[in-house]
Amino acid sequence: MSEPTEHILLAAEVSAELSGKRLDQAMALAFPQHSRSRLKDFIEKNQVTVNGNCKRPRDKVHEGDRIEVDAYIEVVLDWVGEAINLDIIYDDEHIVVINKPANFVVHPATGNRQGTLTNALLYLYPSLNQIPRAGVVHRLDKDTTGLMVIAKSLVAQTKLVAQLQARTVKRVYETVVYGSVLSGSTVDAPMGRDPHDRVKMAVVETGKRAVTHYRVIERFKAHTHLKVQLETGRTHQIRVHMAHVYHPIIGDKVYGGRLRLPPNSSETLRDCLRTFPRQALHAKSLTLIHPATNEEMSWEVPIPKDMQQLLETLRAS
């Protein structure tokens, strides 16, 4: 259940440079500490006035107009902090970078209110309760491991979201897929909800543009170890795109299809493939511009033990 917790009061006079622009565009320039989507939401909730009157996002503003915002930032109040160990890679007053393990949900949801990354973050940083989504600006699936950045202030969150939208955040993954991939390539295929199963994502003509780049790290008899870089960040993008090009990720129970056991493979490899507990996908490196210092920063973490063991088994087979 969401309730308002932070009262936002803003005011600005439209300058000559902003005159003639749409209200939402002018506000994005006048109040850069807030994201365009958040400002648009304020307008649509009639929490913004121009000279005392509510306007639509597309309405034009003119020099001398006074824009006033009287709004609330909504956060979830019933998320509670829990003492859960986190692998913290970097931490300062603006951001925290963590190495997420497998079997770890990012946000609480119905039937899963505890034991999540958000619960762990709120225990360590209680002030995150005042930031939408507890500062999380991008997610990893429950069983995808690796690097995530969390914003510790509204300003940091807005700037990081802007970088993600501008596609300047560099996110590199490693994965192990079925099939022998001959060379690197790019998947440029739009994604949206699967029309036959709304819980899943799929490549659909009416979806949003999604671009995934991949190259070969190591090739095995019937599998390939890949380096993958996201250009866009759609839900389940790598998993859907690799399945789309007939190289689903090992262990992906949603998009991987039936279990494939290579003919004449060793019993050790067959057991490994049967029992691998999750999609073999790891967010290995992350590069971004620090929201306060404007310095480019990069982090990298090794692939986890389960994927290391998978690769060792493939090499030995």
Side-chain angles (χ1 to χ4, degrees):
M1 188 72 180
S2 295
E3 297 179 8
T5 61
E6 183 172 350
H7 195 187
I8 304 296
L9 291 172
L10 303 168
E13 184 174 300
V14 176
S15 64
E17 290 76 18
L18 299 181
S19 185
K21 291 187 179 294
R22 291 168 47 119
L23 174 58
D24 55 354
Q25 294 172 338
M27 289 181 64
L29 294 169
F31 310 120
Q33 70 271 36
H34 294 280
S35 67
R36 292 189 66 162
S37 60
R38 181 179 295 143
L39 293 170
K40 184 177 181 181
D41 186 58
F42 291 163
I43 298 169
E44 291 175 342
K45 289 179 178 178
N46 292 329
Q47 295 172 330
V48 177
T49 59
V50 179
N51 300 328
N53 298 309
C54 293
K55 299 288 185 179
R56 297 167 299 181
R58 67 174 181 269
D59 288 339
K60 301 291 180 63
V61 293
H62 304 283
E63 185 176 2
D65 286 347
R66 182 170 177 79
I67 303 173
E68 295 184 334
V69 178
D70 186 347
Y72 290 93
I73 297 285
E74 294 184 347
V75 298
V76 180
L77 293 179
D78 60 353
W79 291 353
V80 295
E82 291 181 77
I84 302 170
N85 288 333
L86 290 178
D87 183 5
I88 297 174
I89 305 301
Y90 176 83
D91 187 12
D92 66 23
E93 62 182 307
H94 306 284
I95 61 173
V96 57
V97 176
I98 64 109
N99 182 19
K100 189 184 88 65
N103 193 30
F104 200 23
V105 175
V106 171
H107 278 137
T110 302
N112 189 30
R113 308 300 296 176
Q114 297 178 327
T116 72
L117 171 63
T118 300
N119 297 117
L121 289 168
L122 289 171
Y123 180 83
L124 291 174
Y125 314 103
S127 62
L128 290 179
N129 205 27
Q130 302 301 311
I131 303 174
R133 299 176 299 282
V136 173
V137 296
H138 67 112
R139 300 188 190 192
L140 293 178
D141 297 334
K142 174 185 175 183
D143 284 324
T144 298
T145 57
L147 291 167
M148 289 181 62
V149 61
I150 292 89
K152 296 169 78 172
S153 70
L154 280 175
V155 172
Q157 185 184 53
T158 298
K159 290 186 176 181
L160 290 173
V161 169
Q163 289 184 52
L164 286 164
Q165 292 173 340
R167 304 179 185 177
T168 57
V169 175
K170 183 178 181 181
R171 291 169 288 170
V172 177
Y173 294 71
E174 289 193 16
T175 187
V176 188
V177 301
Y178 286 102
S180 183
V181 180
L182 298 180
S183 63
S185 187
T186 294
V187 185
D188 187 343
M191 285 179 52
R193 289 290 172 187
D194 188 328
H196 306 294
D197 185 348
R198 301 298 292 175
V199 175
K200 296 170 61 177
M201 305 299 289
V203 171
V204 292
E205 289 185 5
T206 57
K208 295 181 179 179
R209 186 167 188 245
V211 181
T212 304
H213 309 282
Y214 64 89
R215 69 172 180 83
V216 175
I217 297 176
E218 189 173 3
R219 193 179 296 110
F220 308 101
K221 292 178 183 177
H223 305 88
T224 310
H225 180 197
L226 297 176
K227 175 181 178 180
V228 182
Q229 185 171 340
L230 287 177
E231 185 173 321
T232 56
R234 309 302 174 199
T235 301
H236 300 172
Q237 180 174 316
I238 296 174
R239 298 165 65 188
V240 171
H241 271 177
M242 295 317 300
H244 180 67
V245 295
Y246 307 107
H247 293 293
I249 296 174
I250 289 176
D252 192 337
K253 296 177 176 59
V254 177
Y255 302 105
R258 63 179 179 81
L259 177 65
R260 306 180 191 182
L261 297 176
N264 304 318
S265 57
S266 68
E267 193 59 36
T268 301
L269 176 58
R270 294 165 77 89
D271 285 344
C272 180
L273 294 174
R274 286 192 191 102
T275 60
F276 198 79
R278 65 180 184 94
Q279 64 266 10
L281 182 61
H282 175 67
K284 185 172 184 178
S285 71
L286 175 69
T287 302
L288 52 80
I289 303 300
H290 192 281
T293 66
N294 292 322
E295 174 190 2
E296 183 178 88
M297 302 189 74
S298 296
W299 302 270
E300 184 171 313
V301 289
I303 59 174
K305 289 183 179 179
D306 60 353
M307 283 182 63
Q308 290 177 15
Q309 292 171 351
L310 172 62
L311 290 169
E312 289 170 4
T313 301
L314 288 168
R315 291 185 188 110
S317 299

